[in-house]
Amino acid sequence: MYKKPVTCFIVSALLALVSCKQHYELTSVSRSRILIDKRYDARPEPEAQAFLAPYKHKVDSIMSPVVGEVSAYMAAGKPESSLSNLLADILQWGGKSYGERVDFAVYNMGGIRAAFAKGRVTYGDVVDVAPFENKICFLTLTGTKVKELFQQIASTGGEGVSHGVNLVISGRKLLDCRLNGEPIDDSKAYRVATLDYLAQGNDKLEAFKSGTDVVSPQTQENNVRFIIMNYFRDQMAQGKAVSREVEGRIIVK
């Protein structure tokens, strides 16, 4: 029987050790901040502009069409704001296209990523406000779970709720909750419009996980941004500029 020389095994072992050894060692880490502002537009790079030109044209053609108008600057903020009120109302409005009779709607503040400037609103503006792939979702909660949900909204400091919802909170505790002026009935079933993301119990709104009769269409046209655009186009067709006020939907004491 043929036997390999011992030297072969020694060489193989040495090669294995060498191959496992690191060739580089980290000696230090440093960082700096580079301010990117309009100064960089003063001397545009021709080659970069030429490279980006066909893409910019295509993006602009998608993002620039006007879908509506707002009568005043609208931004999101807790406990209540003009923009969060608007978006919650739009979810409730959107229910009619699905044959849903919605009692109220909830839109999370964390999902609102930009503001609307006064004047014309473009497709791109809506994408900036609602950049995520969230879809509209409908579900039913008992009155007991609605109270639980409103307490969770109070604990977050406020979320977007539709017109007719009135919450009174103090120290992030729910003191009172009403819908269209009426107390919440524990035994009653309430139909709610929200985002599929929230319906899964995210953003600390875990009461949504108890929802029944869930309708959660997942095709692209059900993305919330398109429902927002549809609302703006509907108002534009009626010659109306979109507006909302802070009206005391969530009162902090």
Side-chain angles (χ1 to χ4, degrees):
M1 181 183 293
Y2 174 75
K3 295 182 180 181
K4 291 183 180 180
V6 175
T7 52
C8 291
F9 292 101
I10 294 172
V11 170
S12 298
L14 288 172
L15 288 173
L17 288 172
V18 170
S19 64
C20 293
K21 184 178 179 181
Q22 278 190 313
H23 296 285
Y24 302 97
E25 293 183 6
L26 181 65
T27 59
S28 66
V29 176
S30 63
R31 65 189 178 96
S32 62
R33 180 175 295 178
I34 301 173
L35 177 64
I36 305 297
D37 58 21
K38 64 182 180 181
R39 290 178 297 171
Y40 286 86
D41 296 330
R43 296 180 181 178
E45 174 60 48
E47 290 184 7
Q49 284 190 313
F51 176 79
L52 292 172
Y55 303 100
K56 184 177 185 302
H57 175 73
K58 185 173 182 178
V59 170
D60 287 348
S61 68
I62 296 172
M63 296 297 181
S64 61
V66 174
V67 297
E69 181 180 352
V70 293
S71 61
Y73 175 76
M74 303 181 75
K78 294 188 178 188
E80 177 190 352
S81 63
S82 58
L83 185 51
S84 57
N85 284 355
L86 171 66
L87 297 180
D89 288 348
I90 289 175
L91 288 182
Q92 187 168 23
W93 171 87
K96 64 182 182 181
S97 298
Y98 298 86
E100 292 281 354
R101 188 172 180 178
V102 177
D103 293 300
F104 68 92
V106 177
Y107 200 112
N108 62 322
M109 294 288 188
I112 307 172
R113 290 309 177 99
F116 286 130
K118 179 181 178 180
R120 297 186 304 172
V121 174
T122 66
Y123 185 111
D125 293 330
V126 176
V127 173
D128 287 342
V129 167
F132 303 110
E133 296 303 308
N134 296 322
K135 310 295 191 295
I136 195 168
C137 182
F138 306 95
L139 52 85
T140 298
L141 293 175
T142 65
T144 300
K145 287 298 178 180
V146 168
K147 287 181 179 177
E148 223 177 272
L149 174 66
F150 288 161
Q151 172 54 59
Q152 290 163 1
I153 289 174
S155 70
T156 69
E159 304 291 349
V161 293
S162 57
H163 180 75
V165 175
N166 295 110
L167 308 181
V168 180
I169 65 178
S170 177
R172 303 213 171 186
K173 297 289 185 182
L174 183 67
L175 301 182
D176 188 46
C177 57
R178 293 176 182 270
L179 182 60
N180 300 319
E182 297 293 327
I184 304 300
D185 184 341
D186 288 349
S187 61
K188 185 178 176 181
Y190 294 86
R191 196 66 173 163
V192 189
T194 189
L195 314 179
D196 57 352
Y197 172 78
L198 296 182
Q200 297 164 13
N202 291 308
D203 277 14
K204 300 181 180 180
L205 303 184
E206 295 187 0
F208 274 132
K209 292 193 290 188
S210 299
T212 59
D213 301 321
V214 178
V215 175
S216 185
Q218 292 298 301
T219 50
Q220 186 178 17
E221 64 270 19
N222 301 295
N223 191 297
V224 170
R225 72 171 66 100
F226 296 123
I227 296 167
I228 296 169
M229 291 179 199
N230 290 341
Y231 177 81
F232 272 98
R233 291 187 183 110
D234 176 78
Q235 297 299 292
M236 185 168 61
Q238 298 179 49
K240 298 178 181 178
V242 172
S243 65
R244 282 301 183 282
E245 301 293 334
V246 174
E247 56 185 32
R249 300 183 188 187
I250 303 178
I251 297 173
V252 177
K253 288 189 173 181

